[in-house]
Amino acid sequence: MAKENSNTPKKPRFSSWWIYGVIIALILGFQFFGSATFSNTEKTTTSEMQEFLRNGDISKIIIITNTRQAKVFLTDEGLKKDVHKGVADKPMLPTTGLVPQYILDYGDLQIFQNEISEIKKENNLDTIVEFDTESNVLGDLLLSLLPFILIIGIWIYLMRRMSGGGAGGAGGQIFNIGKSKAKLFDEKTDTRTSFKDVAGLEGAKEEVQEIVEFLKNPDKYTSLGGKIPKGALLVGPPGTGKTLLAKAVAGEAKVPFFSLSGSDFVEMFVGVGASRVRDLFKQAKDKSPAIIFIDEIDAIGRARGKNNFTGSNDERENTLNQLLTEMDGFGTNTNVIVLAATNRADVLDKALMRAGRFDRQIYVDLPDIRERKEIFEVHLRPIKTAETLDLDFLARQTPGFSGADIANVCNEAALIAARKERKAVTKQDFLDAVDRIVGGLEKKNKIITPEEKKTIAYHEAGHATVSWMLEHAAPLVKVTIVPRGQSLGAAWYLPEERLIVRPEQMLDEMCATMGGRAAEKVIFNKISTGALSDLEKVTKQARAMVTIYGLNDELGNITYYDSSGQNEYGFTKPYSEETAQKIDEEISKIIEKQYTRAISILDKNKDKLTQLADRLLEKEVIFKDDLEKIFGKRPFEKEEEGTEQPKSNDTETEEVKEETN
């Protein structure tokens, strides 16, 4: 990056404070110079004026009726007397015209006038007495202009606040509201994140590392006739590390890195967003090679022409149009690359996604078990642990967790250890942290009647029993009837991390989910509202089987899923009313069949179900080994080598699939 010459004179920085100073000076000046009080006029009293009048020193008195003041003018003989020597020696301003030697304040006008008339009559004086009114022209002018001056001053202040500070120069550059809000990271001091701080994401890191190589050694690629990519879009679920990956690029590239959010372009004034886009790319070109990173680009990159029923000019669309123009306007050798991140790639405009703007789309997915272990290694560096933790075990505990979730687990474990007055974080603290994040905070003081507690126990025991007997259901790890969060009880499973799911696997999971309500029906011959979350889950699964995955024999190999997100069952459904009726019928058949299947399993194992519920009422929390004592080894169970089995006296909670009551 080129540095400015220190000998180059800097432009004076414009400040609005001098505007406020001028306004205050005008107010004080007008008030002072526009008043009826003159700096060369001596103040006197009524009694002194009457004495001067008796001595014949006064030639003229002008009585100002609206200010209750009187101006006193002396005769030439009076000016020569020693008593008036002080006022006679004062210089008179030539621009003021006729200036009195004395000025006084009087009380009642009629009394003051009678006193002067009596003195004139007694001493046979020809002193002139006149009446006049005085107006402050400058003061009146100021009062009429003051509202406009105040409005202009407040407007200048608000504009400077909204634009984020002052701007250099004058005239049109007084305000920087159209300037880019991007933060420029200095590669020597600001960017300290490197690829070592990014665990997992091997494929994504390889892609962005190549982008860094483009900027460091462009000739290696252009010499063969290739062109440097103009942009890369990071896409993935929230918390998977898209922004962290961009920070690592900033730290590794050693080039100017402009970072901002998509919402930074949005402003209430027309044309501001487009102006900021132009200014951003101008700065990047001036400092090339450089990287521009736009986080949450969907704030300005949404597809155009949607939800614009008014037909008005959309400022966001103008900003997007300017962004499209700037990205496509790059030359092949400008060495400026645009990185962007979003978790809503389906709503982005197609023109923004095309090659030539974002040449690469890098998908940042949820980490697998190996990547979760690496992420734990990164976040455990600052944690003071009491023992050597089994990271493989912690990784197995957290299927489906993102990088942000794992960071939260480590932080929550440290907070739990501190709450328990421990000097270091233990393995149990991490397990409690997973429980806390997945199930919510324990509510041991929640008031539950014995009858409700018994119902909850049989409900959760039903989940455990059915899942234990089914081959493809996720292995149960822990069952509790201690209220957590919004649930009155929960059963935790360790789901298999599958890339594809078969119908029998989905049906077994649905049957296990319906085990809670089935247990209530088998034991009490009644059902309750406690299965709400279970019903919601199985309904979504059944609908997905029928309408998305084409796993239903009646409807056949057909899907109504739109991966582009353009329809999503908006105003019109992609099927007829007759098909909609069939869909509803098939969904109901699937759910009822699995409910009947769960009842059949529980009827065959009713005595074991009762034993499990009694143990649950006694201990409140039971583990896998408790089920083994009652049911024996799980049918079709395939134990993995090196898998640690949790004990009943240790809350090793292999999270995270939850059936809530």
Side-chain angles (χ1 to χ4, degrees), residues 164-206:
Q173 295 185 3
I174 291 179
F175 311 115
N176 65 351
I177 191 170
K179 300 294 182 181
S180 169
K181 289 187 175 183
K183 181 179 180 182
L184 175 60
F185 287 87
D186 186 354
E187 66 272 15
K188 296 181 179 179
T189 58
D190 292 328
T191 53
R192 304 194 181 276
T193 305
S194 66
F195 287 128
K196 294 180 181 179
D197 300 314
V198 182
L201 308 179
E202 296 302 328
K205 277 200 296 186
E206 184 178 345

Side-chain angles (χ1 to χ4, degrees), residues 236 285 305 312 358 389 414 508 569 611:
K285 290 176 183 178
S312 60
F358 286 115
L389 295 174
D508 280 2
Y569 302 168
Q611 292 180 43

Side-chain angles (χ1 to χ4, degrees), residues 1 118 123 154 216 226-227 239 306 349 363 366 398 417 483 576:
M1 191 191 324
E118 290 178 3
N123 297 277
I154 293 172
K216 287 184 175 180
K227 297 179 181 179
K306 289 188 177 182
D349 194 277
Y363 191 74
L366 291 171
T398 51
S576 65

Side-chain angles (χ1 to χ4, degrees), residues 571-585:
F571 294 107
T572 59
K573 294 181 180 180
Y575 44 78
S576 65
E577 288 299 325
E578 182 181 353
T579 304
Q581 186 175 356
K582 287 183 179 180
I583 289 174
D584 292 338
E585 291 174 355

